[in-house]
Amino acid sequence: MLPKALESLIEAFGQLPGVGPRSAERYAYFVLKHSAADAKRLSSALEKVHSGVKLCPMTFAFIDASENISRLYENPGRNKQLVAVVEDPFDVIALENTGQFKGTYHVLGGAISPIDGVTPEQLHIPELIERLKNDKVGEVILATNASVEGESTALYIQKQLEEASLGEIKVTRLARGLPVGVDLEYADQITLTHALQGRKEL
Amino acid sequence: MLPKALESLIEAFGQLPGVGPRSAERYAYFVLKHSAADAKRLSSALEKVHSGVKLCPMTFAFIDASENISRLYENPGRNKQLVAVVEDPFDVIALENTGQFKGTYHVLGGAISPIDGVTPEQLHIPELIERLKNDKVGEVILATNASVEGESTALYIQKQLEEASLGEIKVTRLARGLPVGVDLEYADQITLTHALQGRKEL
């Protein structure tokens, strides 16, 4: 019943993660209501993104296609002996936004998840081990997500380090506990258990 | 910190209604993770939508750029003397999906909303009045949304009809009451008031 061009657009928007039919319709309607120039902006950004972005061959963070290696890694002010291992490139941004981390990053490209068909072979773990050796890394922060997948990925990497005779490297994990602004009574049991176990003396 | 091409894409996605920075990042990451061909599909759909879709000059519903007038309006099986007035083109789809309406539609292109800067002049009300006269319409269903804006738009149109000496046309409004599957105890007061006032004898 809808014009074909509109249906194609709704369908294309519907491919994005978490976008249901209603949202896809809303986006398409928004695009139609606005000028063709506005639509062109999104469409050209879409066309340029694959050619304009590549993965750093060392840290697997997103870098500009004109760069050779991540600027965060090359920066002499950053501590190469401290590596934060994260799942996604956007996790790098989240940690950088704290302004508290002066080490370097290694992006795995996901977390082990048999349900989603993600096996350890698809993650950048061999490259991590290679890098830990070459850079004589002293501490690895396994900053994977606080999810089942993130936990098992962290465990898997820890075992791989031991097998690669890198057992002397300090391996840490981000603290678990109550997030800021949460009422105790609304915290879930697991979070509260972590908060209890990790309690600190004042 | 992110590559420029990626930032442009996140920014462009962020222009869509209801898309916050997190969702925009997620969409952009999804596009990057998938092939350039997938991105091309969305980008070409975006480019084609303005040239492929136009508004029917009679009903203001979306029609294919190759068509002259809405097929629903031209269809001899549809009752031109019964007109459902809706806010958005997608409302036509919603009513059509019921399979219960055999009249024709008139899309206003929004609802009166001083806060959003939508004045009656921006809606297709003069064209509605013209059409009601030409097609000798017997009943107008004011099927605007059940919101403050929808209600005031319906009231405004009703007044305009009277001023245009179209007072003899039957003007109706969609029934208000409990939606399917809702527990009485969770219904809001206004809905419950409508349900009481509109109660029917069994």
Side-chain angles (χ1 to χ4, degrees), chain B residues 76-94:
Chain B
R78 309 290 296 218
N79 180 1
K80 279 200 183 58
Q81 279 71 54
L82 173 62
V83 176
V85 176
V86 295
E87 294 182 18
D88 281 337
F90 288 109
D91 296 335
V92 175
I93 314 295

Side-chain angles (χ1 to χ4, degrees), chain B residues 79-86 101 103-108 124-125 127-133 135-144 153-154 157-162 166-174:
Chain B
N79 180 1
K80 279 200 183 58
Q81 279 71 54
L82 173 62
V83 176
V85 176
V86 295
F101 183 67
T104 53
Y105 296 95
H106 189 88
V107 180
L108 293 173
H124 301 295
I125 297 175
E127 295 93 337
L128 171 66
I129 287 170
E130 188 69 16
R131 185 176 156 192
L132 296 181
K133 287 178 183 165
D135 284 350
K136 300 189 176 52
V137 170
E139 179 179 350
V140 176
I141 307 175
L142 295 177
T144 50
T153 306
I157 292 174
Q158 202 178 0
K159 273 188 191 159
Q160 292 297 107
L161 295 188
E162 279 161 20
L166 290 169
E168 79 283 4
I169 296 182
K170 188 173 161 189
V171 180
T172 56
R173 188 107 177 82
L174 294 179

Side-chain angles (χ1 to χ4, degrees), chain B residues 27-71:
Chain B
Y27 298 165
Y29 189 38
F30 177 89
V31 167
L32 255 183
K33 263 188 169 172
H34 287 71
S35 72
D38 286 338
K40 179 74 200 156
R41 209 168 129 230
L42 178 52
S43 81
S44 75
L46 278 164
E47 275 178 36
K48 281 178 199 153
V49 76
H50 276 91
S51 56
V53 176
K54 65 178 185 186
L55 291 183
C56 165
M58 182 63 82
T59 67
F60 300 95
F62 286 140
I63 57 172
D64 220 283
S66 60
E67 294 173 322
N68 291 319
I69 210 150
S70 163
R71 262 179 289 167

Side-chain angles (χ1 to χ4, degrees), chain A residues 107-180:
Chain A
V107 180
L108 293 172
I112 300 169
S113 168
I115 288 175
D116 303 317
V118 182
T119 61
E121 290 72 38
Q122 289 165 262
L123 306 179
H124 301 295
I125 298 174
E127 294 93 338
L128 171 66
I129 287 170
E130 188 70 17
R131 184 176 156 193
L132 296 181
K133 286 178 183 166
N134 293 343
D135 284 349
K136 299 189 175 54
V137 171
E139 179 179 351
V140 176
I141 306 175
L142 296 176
T144 50
N145 290 336
S147 61
V148 175
E149 291 80 12
E151 290 294 343
S152 30
T153 306
L155 270 176
Y156 179 85
I157 292 174
Q158 202 178 2
K159 273 189 191 158
Q160 293 296 106
L161 295 188
E162 278 162 20
E163 278 179 27
S165 323
L166 291 168
E168 77 283 2
I169 295 181
K170 189 174 162 187
V171 180
T172 56
R173 189 109 176 81
L174 294 179
R176 305 286 289 269
L178 294 172
V180 169

Side-chain angles (χ1 to χ4, degrees), chain A:
Chain A
M1 205 148 29
L2 285 175
K4 231 179 269 165
L6 185 55
E7 276 195 344
S8 312
L9 183 58
I10 293 173
E11 209 190 299
F13 272 131
Q15 302 295 317
L16 295 174
V19 177
R22 283 297 140 99
S23 300
E25 275 181 14
R26 209 149 57 102
Y27 298 166
Y29 189 38
F30 177 88
V31 168
L32 256 183
K33 263 189 169 171
H34 286 71
S35 72
D38 285 339
K40 179 74 200 158
R41 208 168 130 231
L42 177 53
S43 81
S44 76
L46 278 164
E47 273 177 37
K48 281 177 198 154
V49 76
H50 276 91
S51 56
V53 176
K54 64 178 187 186
L55 291 181
C56 165
M58 180 64 82
T59 67
F60 300 96
F62 287 140
I63 57 172
D64 219 284
S66 61
E67 294 173 321
N68 292 317
I69 210 151
S70 163
R71 263 178 288 168
L72 282 177
Y73 182 77
E74 286 211 302
N75 184 341
R78 310 288 299 214
N79 180 0
K80 279 201 182 63
Q81 280 71 55
L82 173 62
V83 176
V85 176
V86 296
E87 293 181 18
D88 282 337
F90 289 108
D91 296 335
V92 175
I93 313 294
L95 284 170
E96 278 301 293
N97 285 342
T98 67
Q100 301 295 315
F101 183 67
K102 297 298 170 208
T104 53
Y105 295 95
H106 189 89
V107 180
L108 293 172
I112 300 169
S113 168
I115 288 175
D116 303 317
V118 182
T119 61
E121 290 72 38
Q122 289 165 262
L123 306 179
H124 301 295
I125 298 174
E127 294 93 338
L128 171 66
I129 287 170
E130 188 70 17
R131 184 176 156 193
L132 296 181
K133 286 178 183 166
N134 293 343
D135 284 349
K136 299 189 175 54
V137 171
E139 179 179 351
V140 176
I141 306 175
L142 296 176
T144 50
N145 290 336
S147 61
V148 175
E149 291 80 12
E151 290 294 343
S152 30
T153 306
L155 270 176
Y156 179 85
I157 292 174
Q158 202 178 2
K159 273 189 191 158
Q160 293 296 106
L161 295 188
E162 278 162 20
E163 278 179 27
S165 323
L166 291 168
E168 77 283 2
I169 295 181
K170 189 174 162 187
V171 180
T172 56
R173 189 109 176 81
L174 294 179
R176 305 286 289 269
L178 294 172
V180 169
V182 157
D183 271 24
L184 213 73
E185 56 174 326
Y186 296 123
D188 63 281
Q189 289 181 346
I190 299 173
T191 297
L192 220 46
T193 306
H194 282 299
L196 265 175
Q197 288 170 347
R199 67 188 181 279
K200 284 190 177 176
E201 210 177 316
L202 290 179

